[in-house]
Amino acid sequence: MRRPLCLFGLAFVMVLLLGINLMPHDPPDYGALDGETVAAAGCVAWKEHRISGAEEVLVVTLEQAIILKPDQRSVLKQILVDSETVFSNAADADSVKKTREFLEENKESIRLAGTEEITGILCYLGREENPAMGSFLLVEGKFRPFSQATNPGEFDAADYYRVTGQQGRLMRASCLAQSGHFSLFREGLYRCREYLSLLLGGCYPTKEASVMRAMLLGEKTMLDGEVKSLYQQNGIIHILAISGLHLSVLGMGFHGMLRRMYVPKVVNIILTLTLMYCYGTMTGMGISIVRAFVMFGMKLCADLCGRTYDLLTAMTAAALLILVEQPLYLTQSGFLFSFAAVCGIGLLPKVVRRFPEGQDLLKALLTGGWISLCTLPVYLCFYYEFPPYSVLLNLIVIPCMGVLLISGIVVLGASACLLPLGRLAAFPGIWILAFYEKCASFCLRLPGKRWVAGRPENWQIALYPAILAAAVFFAGKAEKRNKGYFWCAVFCAVILLGFRIPQRFEITMLDIGQGDCIYLADGAGGHYLIDGGSSDRKDVETYQIAPFLKYRGVSRLNAVFVTHSDADHISGIEGMLRDYGETGIEIGCLFLPDVGKESRDESYHGLEELAADASVPVMYLHAGDRLESGKVMLTCIHPTENYVNQNNNACSMTLYLTYENFSALFTGDLEGEGEVLATERLSHMGDGAGIAPPRLTLLKAAHHGSGNATKEPLLALTNPRIALISAGRDNSYGHPHKETLRRLTDRGCRIYQTPESGAVTVRVRGASVRVEPYLGR
């Protein structure tokens, strides 16, 4: 049997995937601790500088952490004082051992109830504090749990950090006590990293320095925002991560140097692996580093023992070591990207062998294309889109990476001796980075720069690699006719992965905090948005709206309706228009309420200007206007033409929707006189037209469930079966108000609130209406 470890690894992964899908692994909810000042104790496992708000802070990762009861803070602090370890320079390991023993023996009595699963915490300290790596730390700050995704497509920070071992953050934390003992090895590597970071900052311009720090030292948190966005949009963000290429350049270079110095093989391997381990530890020992370290170590040992090195077997061994420690890495993009790319490289010889010698350019193109094919499911599963030009761009970028890394190492060595010499040596790297930026910017100006395919179904993800594996098997045959089979199989696999069942009629109210955003699919290929803004969340277009649309495979909105110009309804739309072309979402038309000039405030005119800058047409709706698409008809109920009211909420555009036997009313923040007028017009809609159904199926409760809106006359007329309320959790307005909930409940209405349910999706299939809350599924 060839490659038995690979077969075992494949079976092991399938069992893990089955267990992960069958067994719930949702992170626990620590919302009760949100905003509370707590004290935590643990060992410093990692520290790095980050930007929090507008200031640079030191973020410390505590492992083996315990959240203490309030009356236990002074107890633990006194233990450290009695051990004479607070801010001491004495490297007394017994003091840390004594403290750990005390915590282990008294864990249940000193730990805060409900925090049993918290074993790792990120502490945001001030710049003046700098606890040593490996030291025992007692810290106090405001606890913030990582946010859980409440919308389809949204990044789930709670799940991500749980896999990496952290369950929360302490913001504006302060160090209460610190042991004198620390890890000389790890602290020495940290200080070396800080010194090297200063050298890069002194040799490169600010933007280029942030890129080189990410590439050489793993400092991605301080990366220039424009560069990060540019690289992400072009699918070359991977070059900023410490990966196998870095260890290969460093390890092979050092190994070759020692070999030329006639250092014995065993000593050479030990020294090389030691250097790689130190470098990996200094830069954070990420998944790709662990993989590369294990694989490179197996290669060196195979050379020493005179055995043949097999890349796929080494890759499987590395994957098993990682997954045995944390099986949930199978759900993380970094792990999947790294191993999918290496798997593609391992299978590549079977693909390129069919091309005769001398076709080097064709082989290079095939190499880049094949690796992109292997990582394509990961792209679509986590980002829901793929930049097609990344295939060609990587053929330019990756060959230059070795030169760039070597150039960076030379700069560090030269600047350590003489800073001006390092600045002189930095010019090749600056030129290469400028070349990268120009190539990436050029690709963004090309048509078809994004393929927004949406997230594939699980069966598509499983079938895609099976088809590619079958294609590789037949590619190994020498017959010419099999070349056609290979390309046919690859083409079918890509089509299969990107295939989406046509979307049927549905309405989704997104959870974007204190604000409104409603998505509508008309079942005939049309996609619409009603409002999109929040007053308590920033950049909702980046973190909630665009990911949701791309998750559904939507790259173009036929229309965006703005009910009124309050920030909690338009902030995300403003962002989409301001960054038009960067989000990957096109807008066919922007509809604004046709109110009088006196009611058009600065935000209203700002939307008009942003739409003009983005070349998005603007139209104005007033009562009586209708839009029809397939079986969906949208009728504007309010405002009347040139309607004037000092209350912006009273001017809210109100839309009445019908789809077969389903009806819905979208009210924005409608209240006061506007609600009275809309109710009156609704009461006359059925006269002679037969439009209005006997009972409204769905009502979007106005003004986030405020007691001043959705009054009894409107409810008596519409008698809705389902009510949706969009509001922020624990918002300062107290939305939704009890009187509104009582009015809806008295009508026998089923109520769904985003603070409790997350995003709410309403699907209509014939006579049945199914409501699907995102949370609690």
Side-chain angles (χ1 to χ4, degrees):
M1 182 186 297
R2 297 191 62 185
R3 298 192 176 98
L5 186 62
C6 294
L7 295 176
F8 172 78
L10 182 60
F12 181 74
V13 166
M14 292 177 67
V15 171
L16 282 185
L17 285 174
L18 185 63
I20 290 172
N21 288 320
L22 293 179
M23 298 176 61
H25 59 278
D26 293 332
D29 183 13
Y30 297 112
L33 286 178
D34 193 6
E36 296 292 325
T37 300
V38 301
C43 291
V44 178
W46 180 252
K47 55 183 180 178
E48 62 184 358
H49 293 281
R50 292 187 183 182
I51 299 296
S52 179
E55 59 180 343
E56 181 180 332
V57 298
L58 181 70
V59 179
V60 170
T61 302
L62 293 186
E63 63 180 2
Q64 301 173 358
I66 293 178
I67 304 292
L68 301 172
K69 293 180 179 178
D71 59 349
Q72 296 297 321
R73 303 177 190 180
S74 57
V75 175
L76 185 58
K77 185 174 182 179
Q78 190 60 45
I79 291 176
L80 290 172
V81 171
D82 292 342
S83 302
E84 296 181 353
T85 59
V86 180
F87 304 115
S88 169
N89 292 323
D92 182 10
D94 291 336
S95 62
V96 176
K97 182 179 178 181
K98 178 180 177 181
T99 306
R100 285 181 175 175
E101 289 176 351
F102 170 80
L103 290 175
E104 189 62 34
E105 293 171 0
N106 301 276
K107 184 182 297 183
E108 298 305 320
S109 61
I110 68 175
R111 180 165 50 195
L112 189 66
T115 62
E116 290 79 10
E117 293 194 43
I118 296 181
T119 58
I121 299 177
L122 296 182
C123 304
Y124 286 68
L125 301 172
R127 294 186 63 181
E128 65 279 358
E129 296 184 280
N130 191 10
M133 295 280 285
S135 62
F136 189 86
L137 194 64
L138 179 62
V139 64
E140 183 181 66
K142 283 191 175 183
F143 185 84
R144 296 291 187 189
F146 292 113
S147 60
Q148 185 178 357
T150 58
N151 299 286
E154 183 180 358
F155 173 68
D156 195 319
D159 186 60
Y160 174 83
Y161 280 102
R162 183 191 179 199
V163 174
T164 58
Q166 293 89 43
Q167 288 83 28
R169 299 166 290 174
L170 289 186
M171 308 303 295
R172 299 187 179 278
S174 58
C175 181
L176 301 179
Q178 177 187 350
S179 68
H181 174 76
F182 59 89
S183 171
L184 287 172
F185 170 68
R186 292 165 62 195
E187 180 64 18
L189 289 177
Y190 170 78
R191 294 180 182 180
C192 177
R193 183 186 183 204
E194 290 291 288
Y195 173 67
L196 296 177
S197 179
L198 288 174
L199 291 180
L200 291 175
C203 295
Y204 290 94
T206 303
K207 183 170 63 175
E208 286 76 8
S210 70
V211 176
M212 294 305 296
R213 284 170 177 155
M215 287 184 178
L216 293 174
L217 305 177
E219 294 184 4
K220 291 185 289 186
T221 55
M222 302 294 289
L223 184 63
D224 181 83
E226 292 183 3
V227 173
K228 182 178 180 181
S229 175
L230 184 65
Y231 284 19
Q232 280 180 333
Q233 293 180 64
N234 284 279
I236 57 172
I237 191 68
H238 60 87
I239 68 174
L240 301 180
I242 306 294
S243 63
L245 178 62
H246 297 69
L247 292 189
S248 297
V249 170
L250 185 65
M252 291 302 295
F254 188 71
H255 179 67
M257 182 186 70
L258 293 180
R259 188 169 54 190
R260 283 190 291 271
M261 295 172 61
Y262 300 104
V263 174
K265 281 189 176 181
V266 175
V267 178
N268 188 338
I269 292 174
I270 292 175
L271 292 177
T272 301
L273 292 179
T274 300
L275 175 66
M276 295 174 66
Y277 178 78
C278 290
Y279 179 71
T281 302
M282 182 181 72
T283 55
M285 198 59 80
I287 290 298
S288 58
I289 297 178
V290 174
R291 173 193 58 74
F293 179 78
V294 172
M295 294 178 67
F296 192 77
M298 292 183 68
K299 176 175 176 56
L300 293 180
C301 291
D303 293 341
L304 178 65
C305 299
R307 302 293 298 272
T308 301
Y309 170 75
D310 182 67
L311 185 142
L312 292 176
T313 300
M315 178 202 70
T316 305
L320 290 175
L321 288 174
I322 295 171
L323 293 176
V324 165
E325 180 182 0
Q326 176 53 279
L328 290 180
Y329 271 122
L330 268 177
T331 65
Q332 296 299 301
S333 60
F335 176 90
L336 296 173
F337 266 121
S338 181
F339 282 92
V342 174
C343 184
I345 294 172
L347 296 174
L348 189 61
K350 290 184 175 294
V351 178
V352 299
R353 70 172 57 176
R354 63 175 47 259
F355 293 95
E357 296 296 329
Q359 297 186 2
D360 295 335
L361 179 59
L362 187 59
K363 288 183 178 181
L365 289 172
L366 180 62
T367 298
W370 175 251
I371 295 175
S372 295
L373 284 172
C374 291
T375 57
L376 181 60
V378 185
Y379 262 106
L380 298 187
C381 280
F382 290 92
Y383 303 113
Y384 325 123
E385 62 179 351
F386 178 74
Y389 298 118
S390 65
V391 178
L392 298 177
L393 197 55
N394 275 302
L395 293 178
I396 300 172
V397 168
I398 292 178
C400 299
M401 277 298 297
V403 178
L404 188 58
L405 294 177
I406 294 172
S407 170
I409 295 172
V410 172
V411 167
L412 290 174
S415 58
C417 300
L418 190 63
L419 190 59
L421 189 61
R423 290 173 179 167
L424 185 63
F427 279 106
I430 295 173
W431 293 333
I432 293 176
L433 292 177
F435 176 65
Y436 282 180
E437 190 169 340
K438 287 186 179 297
C439 290
S441 299
F442 174 75
C443 288
L444 288 183
R445 293 194 294 269
L446 297 175
K449 59 186 177 184
R450 284 188 182 93
W451 173 38
V452 179
R455 190 192 186 281
E457 300 292 336
N458 289 335
W459 65 268
Q460 292 173 297
I461 298 170
L463 196 55
Y464 178 84
I467 296 176
L468 286 190
V472 169
F473 172 78
F474 287 108
K477 304 292 185 178
E479 293 85 349
K480 184 177 180 179
R481 57 188 175 88
N482 285 321
K483 183 184 291 189
Y485 295 157
F486 171 77
W487 291 115
C488 181
V490 169
F491 179 77
C492 291
V494 174
I495 294 298
L496 173 74
L497 191 65
F499 172 74
R500 297 291 173 271
I501 297 175
Q503 199 167 354
R504 303 176 71 178
F505 177 82
E506 70 173 52
I507 298 170
T508 299
M509 183 171 68
L510 275 65
D511 176 20
I512 55 175
Q514 187 66 16
D516 266 12
C517 184
I518 298 172
Y519 164 76
L520 168 66
D522 63 13
H527 308 278
Y528 308 86
L529 211 62
I530 302 175
D531 286 333
S534 177
S535 60
D536 64 350
R537 295 189 188 180
K538 296 181 179 179
D539 302 324
V540 290
E541 73 280 359
T542 302
Y543 299 112
Q544 279 87 34
I545 299 177
F548 167 80
L549 294 173
K550 292 177 181 178
Y551 178 88
R552 294 292 173 87
V554 178
S555 59
R556 185 180 187 275
L557 292 167
N558 296 67
V560 173
F561 300 90
V562 174
T563 60
H564 63 298
S565 57
D566 283 356
D568 58 339
H569 290 251
I570 67 169
S571 64
I573 296 173
E574 287 178 326
M576 293 173 70
L577 292 172
R578 190 179 298 112
D579 300 328
Y580 199 70
E582 294 184 14
T583 60
I585 306 296
E586 296 180 4
I587 298 176
C589 185
L590 180 68
F591 286 93
L592 299 177
D594 189 6
V595 294
K597 293 182 179 179
E598 299 90 334
S599 297
R600 301 186 180 189
D601 57 14
E602 185 178 346
S603 298
Y604 188 103
H605 292 302
L607 275 175
E608 292 176 313
E609 294 173 1
L610 288 171
D613 293 340
S615 298
V616 174
V618 178
M619 297 186 70
Y620 304 88
L621 288 182
H622 58 261
D625 288 339
R626 294 178 182 175
L627 290 87
E628 189 172 359
S629 177
K631 298 180 181 180
V632 172
M633 178 178 288
L634 275 171
T635 304
C636 182
I637 304 299
H638 182 75
T640 54
E641 189 173 4
N642 294 320
Y643 176 74
V644 176
N645 195 302
Q646 297 301 317
N647 183 353
N648 211 15
N649 291 340
C651 299
S652 290
M653 181 194 297
T654 304
L655 298 172
Y656 177 71
L657 177 145
T658 58
Y659 173 79
E660 296 181 342
N661 295 322
F662 177 89
S663 58
L665 188 66
F666 304 102
T667 56
D669 279 356
L670 187 69
E671 62 183 11
E673 182 190 65
E675 183 173 324
V676 173
L677 293 173
T679 303
E680 181 180 353
R681 184 165 184 82
L682 274 171
S683 66
H684 297 295
M685 280 192 65
D687 296 348
I691 300 175
R695 185 180 186 186
L696 193 67
T697 313
L698 173 69
L699 171 68
K700 203 291 293 186
H703 201 184
H704 320 291
S706 169
N708 297 324
T710 319
K711 293 295 189 66
E712 187 60 33
L714 177 64
L715 292 177
L717 176 66
T718 57
N719 196 21
R721 294 164 51 193
I722 303 167
L724 304 183
I725 300 177
S726 178
R729 287 168 182 76
D730 302 319
N731 63 85
S732 59
Y733 307 99
H735 294 156
H737 291 161
K738 293 181 180 179
E739 53 266 40
T740 302
L741 296 176
R742 185 175 61 253
R743 289 195 293 265
L744 291 168
T745 303
D746 290 345
R747 288 280 166 188
C749 192
R750 293 160 55 195
I751 304 171
Y752 295 88
Q753 309 176 38
T754 56
E756 298 176 354
S757 304
V760 182
T761 298
V762 180
R763 303 183 193 277
V764 180
R765 302 292 182 266
S768 70
V769 178
R770 187 173 62 186
V771 183
E772 301 175 0
Y774 185 75
L775 298 181
R777 293 170 300 169

